[in-house]
Amino acid sequence: MKTVIHHNAQKEKSGKRDYSRHITVLNRYSLLFHALLSFMLVFVIEVCSRRSAVGAFRFLSSHTFAFFFNSLIIFATLIVVYLFRRRMLMRIVISSIWLLLGIINGCVLSQRVTPFGYTDLKCISDLLSMTNTQYFTKFQEICVIILLGVLACFLVLLAIKGPKYQGRAHKVRAVCLCGGMCFIMSAATSFAQNSEWMATYFSNIAQGYSDYGFVYGFSSSVMDRGMHKPSDYSKEKIQQITAETANKKQELSSYKIADSGAIASDSKKKQEPNVICVLLESFIDPTEINFLNFSKDPVPNFRKLSKDFTSGYLNVPVVGAGTANSEFEVLTGMSLRYFGTGEYPYKTILKETDCESIASDLSAVGYGTHVVHNNGGNFYSRANAFSQFGFDTFTSKELMNIQEYTPLGSWPTDDILINETKKALDSTPDQPDFVYTITVQGHGSYPEERVIPNPEIQVSGAETEAQNYQWEYYVNQIHEVDKFIGNLTQMLAERGEETVLVLFGDHLPTLGLSDADMKSGDIFKTNYAIWNNFGLEQKNTDLSAYQLLAYAADQAGIHEGTIFTYHQAGQYQTQDAAYQDGLENLQYDLLYGERYCYNGKNPYPASDLEMGIDKTYIYSYRTNADGSLSIYGTNFTNWSRIYVNEEKMATTFISDKQVVLPAEYAADLENGDVLKVCQLGSSNTIFRTTENAMVYYAD
């Protein structure tokens, strides 16, 4: 027995010696190990990102410098381990972070075209608030939590039981090594970018990540945020730009549009027209896609508008996702090309400062300004952004009595937006209005099996049956959006008020389209059309998203705003270097600079945004036979919640006139308790509260 114990003890000692020997070798050749580890991590990350080992090998062979530069970035982060004694732990932590980012990017690219960037981390709260949707299912949420929990437990165990570096801790040497690595990375990056081995700007983010690797692309999105100060930015430069624009504005403003559509002088000035701008989610004229065939025209209403009124291609900054960035360009007149890689200004600069927009510009000349959207008010931090833009009201889905959804149940249908847009117009009867309406019905994802039993439009031409089903679902939803366009136009025509309607697609759908698939030859081109009911001349042209509302306002005789009048004065010369330099300077001045164009003042502060148009009231309450409590009132929605003494309670929505407090909670009510109903956004944000409260007394 003693012999066996002795033998086992010797074996255990031998195992420990071998383990220690491995650790010693690893520490001795750690830099070489880090280099190999970096190479392996980049390869695995590219396999995840491209969802193909073959794709990763192609990246290595065709973009070899970029592959090794990505490896250098990871190698630089691994140098941090020398600052710690638990080096194995830190290696695993750093490697896990990179692997997680790569896996996330692969998952993101399975749902959209735009790869994962730093600003997406700021959208995590939006993602978590949308469980059980195509963005993020409950099952996926549970899997992520379990995996992260397992990883956290492993790292904690490793921190407690894992090996420590036993040699002398050369802290000064370690700090110098880290500092030297930072210098090397800075010099290497400058060399790579100046020699054009690596790009400094991705006009196509998806292509940029593909050509230069996820690690470099994501790192760029971390390091390159906001706007860099233009080299020629100065007070004199801004004054020169604004003076030239003011002269042109004076010339433009000396003319107005007469009732007949001809040009008239200011002496015949009348109330400005309403302006309705509609973002059409994932909208493209399907006939623009070369390989698709249809049983009938999928967008007859949009096609008629495009034929009879001003229309053209619209260059947008995103593909497959990133609605908020197309929206930002349209509403502000600013270009995303001057911001960081993959940045969402809604999640960065607009969290800190107000921003002149079409809403604030039109408010200054007497317009009521409204937003209508059948999705969450907090998604993309829109409620905050629209306040920073100066809008008066924002009616999000939480303020709508939505009853109809798409066949998958993923999104509300868009027909509800017609009446909500009308409500916004009716809310200010004595002034013109700007209404920004955002649709959602065309949004992905698109199923690979037939969901609509008898689709109105049959679609063919894709490579596989599954892809044909995806296109069939998408096209039929876009066909419903086209019906919405026809009904919206009819509603506006019947109002009898002079109106300009601007319709545009925010980006192409996430269905794997390439430039070669499009008649336009460019996946960053969507369609726009500008309808009016008072005889404006048709002037077809292709535009960038940041020029769209300036062009529409120009046609309607509206010449307001710093950026918008700059576009009007510059005649939309997108490719002109001086034009782009002026735009970059103005953007920087308004958002990051000294606001020289305002003489250092702030004429467009954030608004006190009101959520919704309809007021809500409580009229009465009644105890039901089952012990529950019914509260009766007006304008309740699925997002209405009963509050008792300022505490949110479980609530059952019955109709826009009735919500119910379940019996188990109603049983706890006491005389004198205060009842009210609130409309809640994500994260329990109270968007609106009933105009009155009621005091509870038992029957």
Side-chain angles (χ1 to χ4, degrees):
M1 184 68 170
K2 288 183 179 179
T3 303
V4 173
I5 293 173
H6 179 68
H7 176 74
N8 287 340
Q10 282 186 323
K11 190 174 181 181
E12 186 176 339
K13 283 184 178 180
S14 176
K16 286 184 177 180
R17 282 197 299 271
D18 289 342
Y19 179 72
S20 299
R21 190 179 301 116
H22 292 325
I23 295 296
T24 301
V25 171
L26 182 61
N27 285 327
R28 181 176 301 168
Y29 300 103
S30 59
L31 287 175
L32 177 60
F33 173 71
H34 286 173
L36 294 173
L37 177 60
S38 301
F39 184 93
M40 292 173 58
L41 285 172
V42 170
F43 186 81
V44 172
I45 288 169
E46 290 303 320
V47 169
C48 294
S49 298
R50 298 165 197 272
R51 287 158 288 160
S52 165
V54 174
F57 274 115
R58 286 175 179 165
F59 174 60
L60 172 59
S61 61
S62 61
H63 297 86
T64 306
F65 182 89
F67 188 97
F68 282 100
F69 195 84
N70 280 256
S71 301
L72 180 63
I73 293 173
I74 293 182
F75 181 84
T77 62
L78 288 169
I79 295 297
V80 174
V81 305
Y82 296 112
L83 298 173
F84 302 88
R85 282 198 173 275
R86 294 196 179 275
R87 295 182 178 180
M88 180 180 288
L89 172 65
M90 293 308 300
R91 287 188 188 102
I92 293 175
V93 169
I94 294 170
S95 300
S96 297
I97 291 172
W98 281 115
L99 282 174
L100 280 172
L101 292 173
I103 292 170
I104 291 170
N105 186 53
C107 294
V108 165
L109 289 176
S110 70
Q111 297 294 323
R112 74 183 197 195
V113 176
T114 307
F116 180 67
Y118 172 78
T119 313
D120 285 308
L121 294 173
K122 295 178 178 290
C123 297
I124 288 177
S125 60
D126 295 331
L127 184 67
L128 294 176
S129 71
M130 299 187 72
T131 55
N132 283 329
T133 69
Q134 74 300 323
Y135 280 122
F136 202 48
T137 67
K138 195 71 176 178
F139 176 75
Q140 288 172 326
E141 181 183 5
I142 293 171
C143 289
V144 169
I145 291 172
I146 291 173
L147 289 173
L148 290 179
V150 170
L151 178 60
C153 291
F154 172 72
L155 293 177
V156 169
L157 184 64
L158 192 62
I160 298 172
K161 298 288 188 179
K164 289 184 180 180
Y165 178 67
Q166 300 299 322
R168 182 182 174 187
H170 299 281
K171 292 185 177 180
V172 174
R173 184 188 300 176
V175 171
C176 290
L177 181 61
C178 290
M181 196 67 228
C182 289
F183 175 78
I184 291 171
M185 275 305 308
S186 177
T189 302
S190 296
F191 169 77
Q193 292 178 344
N194 291 335
S195 60
E196 298 185 356
W197 285 97
M198 305 297 285
T200 57
Y201 169 70
F202 300 157
S203 58
N204 181 333
I205 296 174
Q207 191 63 50
Y209 272 60
S210 178
D211 290 345
Y212 303 106
F214 169 77
V215 173
Y216 178 74
F218 184 84
S219 300
S220 297
S221 75
V222 174
M223 303 302 294
D224 182 21
R225 284 179 283 143
M227 286 185 64
H228 296 293
K229 183 178 179 180
S231 58
D232 57 345
Y233 175 71
S234 66
K235 184 176 183 179
E236 292 73 23
K237 174 73 174 181
I238 298 300
Q239 288 176 337
Q240 176 191 347
I241 295 170
T242 54
E244 292 173 355
T245 302
N247 291 335
K248 186 64 176 178
K249 176 182 175 181
Q250 186 175 5
E251 178 184 335
L252 291 168
S253 297
S254 64
Y255 300 99
K256 292 291 178 179
I257 304 299
D259 290 341
S260 63
I263 304 298
S265 69
D266 265 347
S267 61
K268 208 171 180 179
K269 183 175 180 180
K270 54 187 175 53
Q271 179 169 295
E272 305 288 3
N274 294 323
V275 179
I276 317 298
C277 179
V278 182
L279 181 152
L280 302 170
E281 172 62 47
S282 300
F283 183 90
I284 184 75
D285 177 351
T287 63
E288 288 282 325
I289 300 164
N290 292 323
F291 57 82
L292 288 183
N293 305 303
F294 314 96
S295 58
K296 67 176 184 178
D297 187 354
V299 288
N301 291 304
F302 186 83
R303 190 171 320 288
K304 185 171 184 354
L305 294 182
S306 299
K307 179 182 177 182
D308 296 341
F309 299 91
T310 296
S311 63
Y313 286 122
L314 189 71
N315 284 290
V316 294
V318 291
V319 177
T323 296
N325 278 354
S326 294
E327 181 173 286
F328 175 83
E329 286 203 344
V330 168
L331 293 179
T332 65
M334 299 182 185
S335 172
L336 261 295
R337 69 171 296 175
Y338 301 116
F339 288 85
T341 303
E343 181 171 356
Y344 290 92
Y346 279 19
K347 291 287 185 178
T348 53
I349 186 60
L350 290 183
K351 289 285 190 178
E352 305 169 11
T353 186
D354 47 54
C355 176
E356 184 184 345
S357 74
I358 190 68
S360 53
D361 292 337
L362 293 181
S363 290
V365 292
Y367 274 71
T369 56
H370 317 275
V371 182
V372 176
H373 182 30
N374 51 344
N375 198 13
N378 279 335
F379 195 56
Y380 280 129
S381 299
R382 274 191 169 113
N384 170 74
F386 293 150
S387 172
Q388 301 286 34
F389 285 157
F391 279 97
D392 297 329
T393 70
F394 177 21
T395 304
S396 61
K397 72 174 183 180
E398 292 87 357
L399 291 307
M400 299 181 189
N401 186 20
I402 296 172
Q403 299 295 319
E404 296 183 10
Y405 288 80
T406 55
L408 283 179
S410 305
W411 303 103
T413 57
D414 290 336
D415 50 356
I416 193 172
L417 297 174
I418 297 172
N419 192 48
E420 296 297 335
T421 300
K422 184 175 182 297
K423 285 182 186 178
L425 291 167
D426 290 342
S427 67
T428 53
D430 299 323
Q431 62 185 126
D433 291 286
F434 173 74
V435 184
Y436 174 52
T437 299
I438 312 166
T439 73
V440 79
Q441 187 166 352
H443 206 299
S445 57
Y446 313 106
E448 295 183 352
E449 63 281 338
R450 175 162 279 170
V451 173
I452 307 171
N454 298 298
E456 189 173 345
I457 298 176
Q458 283 79 44
V459 180
S460 62
E463 292 182 354
T464 67
E465 183 179 52
Q467 289 174 342
N468 275 326
Y469 285 145
Q470 286 186 301
W471 281 111
E472 183 177 84
Y473 184 88
Y474 167 76
V475 169
N476 277 276
Q477 295 315 301
I478 291 301
H479 184 56
E480 294 300 314
V481 174
D482 186 70
K483 293 178 183 177
F484 154 79
I485 292 171
N487 293 331
L488 176 66
T489 307
Q490 182 179 348
M491 181 274 288
L492 294 173
E494 290 173 352
R495 288 180 62 83
E497 298 177 358
E498 290 192 353
T499 301
V500 174
L501 172 64
V502 182
L503 301 157
F504 74 96
D506 61 335
H507 54 69
L508 267 61
T510 310
L511 284 167
L513 292 167
S514 66
D515 289 344
D517 295 326
M518 308 304 299
K519 288 182 180 177
S520 68
D522 187 348
I523 58 173
F524 284 85
K525 281 185 178 4
T526 64
N527 306 108
Y528 82 90
I530 303 174
W531 171 89
N532 73 91
N533 61 352
F534 56 105
L536 294 180
E537 180 184 355
Q538 182 176 3
K539 296 181 179 179
N540 294 346
T541 189
D542 296 343
L543 297 167
S544 291
Y546 54 82
Q547 299 168 327
L548 178 61
L549 285 182
Y551 192 71
D554 198 358
Q555 285 193 287
I558 301 171
H559 309 292
E560 301 295 336
T562 308
I563 299 287
F564 292 103
T565 52
Y566 175 78
H567 291 312
Q568 292 170 351
Q571 297 298 298
Y572 319 101
Q573 300 176 53
T574 307
Q575 303 303 321
D576 184 76
Y579 173 80
Q580 289 295 334
D581 177 66
L583 178 59
E584 182 182 9
N585 270 277
L586 282 178
Q587 287 186 201
Y588 182 84
D589 188 56
L590 294 182
L591 291 177
Y592 298 91
E594 302 300 322
R595 294 191 166 179
Y596 294 129
C597 60
Y598 301 151
N599 295 317
K601 298 178 182 178
N602 185 14
Y604 303 108
S607 63
D608 185 12
L609 186 71
E610 183 177 3
M611 295 300 295
I613 298 292
D614 295 324
K615 297 183 184 300
T616 57
Y617 294 91
I618 297 177
Y619 291 151
S620 62
Y621 60 83
R622 184 186 70 186
T623 302
N624 302 313
D626 62 357
S628 62
L629 183 77
S630 288
I631 295 179
Y632 300 94
T634 59
N635 299 317
F636 299 148
T637 74
N638 272 308
W639 293 268
S640 294
R641 297 295 180 267
I642 297 170
Y643 274 66
V644 178
N645 298 328
E646 304 300 327
E647 180 181 355
K648 185 184 74 168
M649 311 299 290
T651 305
T652 302
F653 172 75
I654 304 299
S655 72
D656 61 338
K657 296 179 176 59
Q658 181 185 4
V659 289
V660 173
L661 181 68
E664 59 267 35
Y665 301 102
D668 295 330
L669 289 174
E670 298 179 354
N671 290 339
D673 284 344
V674 178
L675 307 174
K676 64 180 180 180
V677 178
C678 300
Q679 316 296 99
L680 296 191
S682 61
S683 304
N684 290 323
T685 305
I686 296 178
F687 282 155
R688 194 166 191 124
T689 303
T690 46
E691 300 295 307
N692 64 319
M694 297 197 78
V695 179
Y696 173 80
Y697 290 102
D699 294 340

